[in-house]
Amino acid sequence: MQFRLPEPFTPEQARAVFASTAPRYLDMQGLVRKHYLLSEDGRTAGGVYLWQTRADAERIYTEEWRQFIRDKYATEPEVSYFHTPVMVDNQAGRVIDDA
């Protein structure tokens, strides 16, 4: 998910705003991990979400969630879905293949 910011964020601004929203994603059903993102120029922000299933993701990306993003960042979110056929987990020291 990504969105263009009306005004660029500094890394410090992004950290503060992202930290304020992070708790809402703790213990969210089906969410494995979320990485908050900020482009180098500070004009694009978003997140990479790893979901157990697409249905888990679709249950969250509702009109209410979109309105939360619009209210918080004054912009429209863009959601894209990707399949993850192979993942490298260096912390666990393994490659995960969903085959």
Side-chain angles (χ1 to χ4, degrees):
M1 182 274 299
Q2 69 178 14
F3 47 88
R4 294 283 297 167
L5 295 165
E7 296 293 326
F9 273 11
T10 66
E12 294 76 17
Q13 288 172 309
R15 186 175 297 107
V17 172
F18 296 163
S20 76
T21 65
R24 76 180 286 142
Y25 295 96
L26 282 174
D27 299 321
M28 186 172 278
Q29 182 181 348
L31 181 62
V32 176
R33 177 172 289 127
K34 176 182 179 179
H35 295 265
Y36 286 83
L37 305 173
L38 180 67
S39 63
E40 286 189 37
D41 66 4
R43 295 184 176 280
T44 302
V48 174
Y49 300 71
L50 179 59
W51 295 98
Q52 290 178 350
T53 67
R54 181 165 177 158
D56 291 328
E58 290 174 343
R59 190 175 46 257
I60 299 305
Y61 301 141
T62 62
E63 180 53 34
E64 179 182 341
W65 176 86
R66 288 178 176 279
Q67 189 60 50
F68 168 78
I69 298 297
R70 287 190 292 265
D71 291 345
K72 187 79 175 174
Y73 301 102
T75 190
E76 186 69 34
E78 178 184 323
V79 176
S80 299
Y81 293 94
F82 296 89
H83 181 69
T84 307
V86 177
M87 183 172 64
V88 176
D89 186 335
N90 282 322
Q91 290 182 325
R94 63 189 184 135
V95 173
I96 301 164
D97 184 337
D98 78 351

